[in-house]
């Protein structure tokens, strides 16, 4: 709902942490018979699930909560910096935004931190290999004591590259082992918002 990633919630996985859960589109208190229907259950962070609480699927003004597998967020919301805002005059997106508190400061901070971590890791991936090559080239002409220091520095940078690659894999918007076919069968809903598409490793 809020574009917060599992890795934003816990670096080493969220399973069993209570930080994620099932959000029932039609609440269990409204229709208990829909509790286990696949189409009614969405994976959600604790913050979104808690913010909604018992808010109705359709409010007294007729505004409805959007469904992530039926309503493409990219066409209903815009992301400017770390603010996720409903498209102008979209009453359903406005209701969804308020109900799930999509711009809770904690969520904004997590989105910002992920963006920064991805940018840093990509920068390392692009810049560090040339620095390693220069260090190793210089090491060939240096005295043994200086050579060892240059090689140690190159090894440090190789380790940095490995950590950057692991960081990118951990934060990727679509994990590499994800099935290509979306179970919801809604092609428009499977398009990533630009914010997330930009985080998919090329």
């Amino acid at each position: 709902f809020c574009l917060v990633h599992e890795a934003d919630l816990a670096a080493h996985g969220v399973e069993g942490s209570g930080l994620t859960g099932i959000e029932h589109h039609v609440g269990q208190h409204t229709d208990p018979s829909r509790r286990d229907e696949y189409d009614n259950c969405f994976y959600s962070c604790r913050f979104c699930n808690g913010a909604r609480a018992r808010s109705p699927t359709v409010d007294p003004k007729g505004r409805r909560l959007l469904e992530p597998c039926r309503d493409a967020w990219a066409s209903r919301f815009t992301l400017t910096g770390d603010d996720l805002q409903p498209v102008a005059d979209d009453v359903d997106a406005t209701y969804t935004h308020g109900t799930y508190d999509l711009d809770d400061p904690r969520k904004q901070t997590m989105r910002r931190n992920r963006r920064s971590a991805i940018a840093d890791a990509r920068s390392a991936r692009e810049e560090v290999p040339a620095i390693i090559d220069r260090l190793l080239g210089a090491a060939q002409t240096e005295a043994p004591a200086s050579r060892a220091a240059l090689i140690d520095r190159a090894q440090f940078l190789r380790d940095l590259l490995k950590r950057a690659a692991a960081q990118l894999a951990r934060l990727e918007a679509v994990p590499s082992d994800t099935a290509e076919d979306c179970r919801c069968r809604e092609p428009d809903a499977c398009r990533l918002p630009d914010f997330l598409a930009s985080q998919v490793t090329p």
Side-chain angles (χ1 to χ4, degrees):
F1 291 92
C2 62
L3 307 183
V4 166
H5 194 287
E6 283 184 19
D8 299 328
L9 298 168
H12 304 291
V14 295
E15 190 172 345
S17 68
L19 293 171
T20 59
I22 300 298
E23 165 64 15
H24 293 86
H25 185 67
V26 175
Q28 299 178 76
H29 61 283
T30 303
D31 186 351
S33 71
R34 299 203 54 199
R35 177 180 181 196
D36 297 323
E37 284 182 16
Y38 174 79
D39 290 344
N40 190 49
C41 297
F42 298 101
Y43 192 51
S44 168
C45 76
R46 180 171 100 188
F47 303 114
C48 285
N49 203 319
R52 178 185 175 187
R54 293 170 81 91
S55 298
T57 306
V58 179
D59 78 351
K61 298 177 183 177
R63 302 178 304 174
R64 71 176 181 88
L65 288 177
L66 299 176
E67 296 180 56
C69 286
R70 297 222 182 336
D71 303 292
W73 255 225
S75 63
R76 309 304 286 268
F77 297 95
T78 59
L79 189 76
T80 305
D82 304 300
D83 297 332
L84 180 64
Q85 292 296 315
V87 169
D89 302 322
D90 187 329
V91 295
D92 295 337
T94 300
Y95 178 53
T96 302
H97 182 272
T99 299
Y100 289 109
D101 196 9
L102 297 181
D103 275 325
D104 175 320
R106 296 169 295 186
K107 296 173 184 178
Q108 290 179 326
T109 297
M110 286 186 275
R111 292 191 294 251
R112 179 172 44 257
N113 290 344
R114 181 171 72 250
R115 223 173 9 91
S116 176
I118 288 170
D120 290 348
R122 283 183 172 169
S123 177
R125 189 178 64 181
E126 292 167 9
E127 297 171 17
V128 169
I131 297 170
I132 292 172
D133 289 345
R134 285 197 299 273
L135 288 170
L136 293 177
Q140 295 191 16
T141 61
E142 293 292 324
S146 298
R147 183 179 307 136
L150 291 170
I151 291 171
D152 284 348
R153 183 67 181 160
Q155 185 57 53
F156 171 81
L157 291 174
R158 280 194 184 115
D159 293 342
L160 178 70
L161 273 179
K162 288 179 188 174
R163 289 193 302 274
Q167 180 83 309
L168 287 171
R170 186 176 72 84
L171 295 173
E172 189 149 44
V174 179
S176 58
D177 61 352
T178 299
E180 290 186 19
D181 293 333
C182 179
R183 289 176 61 184
C184 72
R185 307 286 185 227
E186 297 285 337
D188 289 343
C190 297
R191 182 169 58 92
L192 287 175
D194 291 341
F195 165 70
L196 291 179
S198 71
Q199 296 179 10
V200 176
T201 303

